Amino acid sequence: MADTTKLSVEKALERLRSSEHVNSRSQRRDERTEELSEEIKRMRAQRRRLDQPPRKRS
């Protein structure tokens, strides 16, 4: 028979959770990056509006 190592339930759960933690951390980073990109787009649009010369009213 092949030598197989048995993990306790606690250690098995720790391994599963650690891989989930890495995924969720990268997902949070991706979400934060997306939020910042949207904020940058909003600020650039606002800057363009503010930099335009005022329009003459008739």
Side-chain angles (χ1 to χ4, degrees):
M1 280 181 76
D3 292 328
T4 57
T5 57
K6 294 183 179 179
L7 290 176
S8 68
V9 173
E10 182 180 344
K11 288 193 180 221
L13 286 174
E14 280 180 19
R15 285 188 180 184
L16 289 172
R17 288 182 182 143
S18 69
S19 66
E20 288 175 5
H21 180 67
V22 170
N23 289 340
S24 65
R25 184 172 43 186
S26 66
Q27 287 173 346
R28 284 194 307 264
R29 186 180 58 237
D30 292 344
E31 290 170 0
R32 181 71 177 140
T33 302
E34 184 65 30
E35 289 173 7
L36 290 172
S37 295
E38 291 299 319
E39 181 71 9
I40 289 170
K41 287 179 187 177
R42 185 190 66 77
M43 293 174 79
R44 284 181 177 157
Q46 183 179 26
R47 177 74 184 256
R48 279 191 302 258
R49 285 192 305 272
L50 292 173
D51 285 344
Q52 289 178 352
R55 296 182 182 178
K56 293 183 181 179
R57 294 187 178 183
S58 337

